[in-house]
Amino acid sequence: PPYVDVQVTAPAWSAVALRTGGNGSKGGAAVLALTCEASSLQSRLTWVPLPALATLRAEGPCSPAGCSLLLVLADPSPTVQAEDDLVLAVSGVAFRDAGAPKMVVVSRSGGSIALRITLPPMTSAGALVGTLTPTAGPEGIEASAFAVSFALNVTSLTPRVVSVSPELVPESGASVTVQLADLAPVAGAGSLSATLGGAPVSVTGVLFSDAKGTGLTVAVPARAPGTAELRVQVAGLDGEAAVLVVVVSSAYTISCDGGRCKVPASGGALAVELEGFGSATASSLSAAVDGAAASITAFAPGTASLSIPAHPVQPLPEPAAPLVLTVSGPGGAVAVAQVHYIRAPQLRRVVFNEAGTALRFELDAPSDAPSGAVACAGLVQGPAPGSLGLTQTCTWASASLLEVLMGANASVLPGHAVSLLASALRTADGVSDVSGALSAVVEAPTIPWAPELTVRGPSDIGSCDAARFDVEVRSTRPLVYEWTCDSCSEGDALIARLALVSGGTHRIDGADLVPEVPYTIGVRGRTFLGATSQVTQRVLTARTGPTPMLTIVKPPGPYVRGNDMYLTSTAEFSSCATSEAPLEYAWTVTSHADQAVVLESHGAVLHIPKNTLAGGARYDVRLDGTSAGAAARASDSLSIQRSPLSARVAGGDRTVFRRDAALIVDASASADPDACVLDAATGEMAGCGEGLAYEWTCALPSGLQCRLSATQAVASFGTASTASLDLSALDLGAAPSIVLGVTVSKGERFASASVSLALADEPVANVLIVWSGELAATDSSGAVRVDAQNGRLVLWTDPVEPGSSFKWDVVGPGLDTTSGAVAVTQANGFASGLTSAELALNLGDMAGLVLGGRYTVSVQVTLPSGLRGVAGMTVSVNRPPSGGQCAPQLTGSERALMDAIEIGCEDWWSDMLPVSYQVGVKGEGDAGYSWSSPSFSESSQVRLSAGRYSLLVRIADALGTATLSSELALELAETPPPAFDNSSLAVAGDDAVAAQIEGLFERMDGLGNVQQLMLASESVVNSGERATGATCGGVCVGADVGGDSVVKQAAQQRSRGGAAGWVECVLDWVTESFDG
């Protein structure tokens, strides 16, 4: 005493859901009511579902060489938001060189979390068992209750041949180097055996054998020209690696331009060079491909033109083994070569992107399609007319990938058939036949994007008011919503009403709520691809007094530390109120973990500067409003995601000397945005690389890792942010290039970047390309993404040696400075010439730039010594937001000025978030549009005086690239002024129109609705000028700055005092000019 302990056994959630109207499978919340004698107590309980493994898929073969796994957990613990919130334990296999799995969160929704787990090389095959356990469980539940296990068989693959050197073996015999992949390391040559044409041959040595591959040498004995299959088998393993070996005569040879002899699958002409057939004539030669006759259509000493028959297997399989071309001549002369039959590109699959905004047409081979944006008409076809949307944007993102960004009202779904109508498509080298029309069934993405909901609505209302809740979400198609009352008691009528709502807007009348009792309203959304959001909750309370109705408008997520955020307030006076005194606003941002105050502010707009909030943390936002003693509050939360790491290798792709003994590569520009802090002394961000770990790799064009010549060990380059490479110590053979990559990691987060280095046989100037830009950023592929409307990009080289000369070029769709047909002038965007030390591009002026196109910017530098160097980088032109539409929501009974016109936008999408909206208003006869300030809300309101108007919405992404909605026409008739009696009017005796206007402006000013106030006042001024011929300039403009008054500019910069000054001018002008 005085305490009593009561133990309650809670029923299963499925039983509770039947009484509360909740989802019986996903858990939820309900009220526990306890009656003790005369007292009634309440508590809120939350039922949390236990997680389950929904998807486990290996992305490619899972062998001892390692693999990548994709896991989707359904109903994960609510404490799991990022990689660091999970612990992965693996048993059943051991990892080589103390390696450890890496894990990254691909997506997180209310119903699931998707993870990608990368397994490093293992010592052997076996049954792998993994367990994922959260670092902490929900309050009161052990973390171990939320552990999920998965099992996977790591199997030994059939070894395969990656390369053979030399490709052509002389008839006298030779030692052949064979590189194998998908093979566990072998102890030595004794573990390997080989046959050539069925006869045993000797494996003379093992050059290397590790997790990256095995290299061995095989002695090929002398044999007659022709072909034979070389097979390599590993002792104790089923299966063997096989490759065709071509033995050639030293006296008679066949060769083709480019090294390989290639023809279409249907056969065709083939030009060859012949050596050793000096006395032959066309009639004395014969040719065959695997025994099928090939005709000789032309012959001259040293060359011949052949007509190659079609491949005997049609349609041509992929991959198709090469066939043997034999040319016979007088005196027993025989030459052999391989003929590679090339299949036309086929449609491998068509799949939605993760957001469902675009279809990805993936070909199985690079094609000769033009890069960049192309016309969609006649190129793609959906299952029905209009099923791809009102308009589409088609872009060849690569030679094997066409991206179709769908328009508004798209209806195509997974399972529908779509077609690629590119009948003239060939392989990139132009060798294959044309592809013809290609069709495929649309697939859903492996991990569809999980929507993040933003719910707008008040927290407090009066009993005579109604609360309107609006869901905003970045999606190009409407979602289906499930509304619940998580705090309602059994039998509450609100439960049944919410169960009938599937749209994103709902009204709740204050009269239907018990006064002073908080109601927790929840909503979950589901996309057409089946992805579900987290439940977003709003707490609504009906107050007994006439409380103002406050709503916090925040931008849609995701939220990251490195972005500025603006939260705005919207307010309405209660219908129960008898007076409408101006509202004063106060904002407070606190840490959810410890309730420490992070930020405080006053006014209708809360600006949260970038880098104020911490990645991975949650914050509570409170807005307090007071009006003549009446108080109201609105609350919301912000969950700040951990920012993805940024990996960058300086200098771009470039040419280097293949024997350079001290090549430096630098990744110190890589960053963890969450670690950046502002250096007050320099004004620059510092510490961005704090705690990053670096891992360097080097790969040959074949995909094999670079190895040391002396030991054949895989080359390693340390773990620092910069690496020094001795290229002369690497076994590069005749490789034309290498790819240097770096993986930066911090905890469970990691990112990768790479540069391609072309290898020159002679010393070159070591040139690095550097860039800076306005409205430019590095995208996930390492390209510099730019805004072609207003962006500026400046590039230069480092280092710069005095006396050097420069030659810049820009090549891509619609723009090729190497052709000589491009005007390199300032008017065309070239602020500097192509031979300057730097290249400055004003992108908005450059004719020919294609939205969505990718361009190569390269520079050739010639030093005074004569050495030359080349460097280049990729520039991607940003696409503006697309796929959506905007329209005024009209009832037909709107009153000029007195009623707010709501303009709603939906389905706009960009991959450079967030998207902002500006409303433009132009009255009949006005010279231009009056624009509101940018807002992240999809819905805007304007109040306009009587007249005809054109409305536009400017939709812009985070980079500033913008598009305009279609023009919206609106006409408002004169509204007869009501009887108006307001003793607070500034000028007694003014006519009813001026009184009505002043009363309206005072109300908007009192609510802090600066944007509505500005557009409404401009509408009044413009319509008054049209009606009376008078101008407002002499009264309000004063010191003119760019056509706008100082007070008006201040108002547009969210200064409430500035808005009041501008409106006061307008009211003065109204009372002076509206005589009667």
Side-chain angles (χ1 to χ4, degrees), residues 720-742:
S721 61
T722 59
S724 178
L725 283 69
D726 182 358
L727 297 183
S728 65
L730 301 182
D731 183 8
L732 302 178
S737 63
I738 57 175
V739 175
L740 286 178
V742 66

Side-chain angles (χ1 to χ4, degrees), residues 319-335:
L323 304 183
V324 178
L325 168 65
T326 303
V327 175
S328 303
V334 177

Side-chain angles (χ1 to χ4, degrees), residues 160 260 311 313 315-323 340-343 364:
R160 58 187 175 89
R260 282 190 167 186
H311 194 282
V313 179
L316 188 67
E318 179 63 33
L323 304 183
H340 296 264
Y341 283 83
I342 307 302
R343 186 175 72 166
D364 63 357

Side-chain angles (χ1 to χ4, degrees), residues 1042-1064:
D1044 281 342
S1045 69
V1046 176
V1047 288
K1048 180 179 175 183
Q1049 287 187 336
Q1052 291 174 330
Q1053 294 167 4
R1054 297 189 172 92
S1055 166
R1056 189 165 171 185
W1062 163 255
V1063 171
E1064 184 178 354

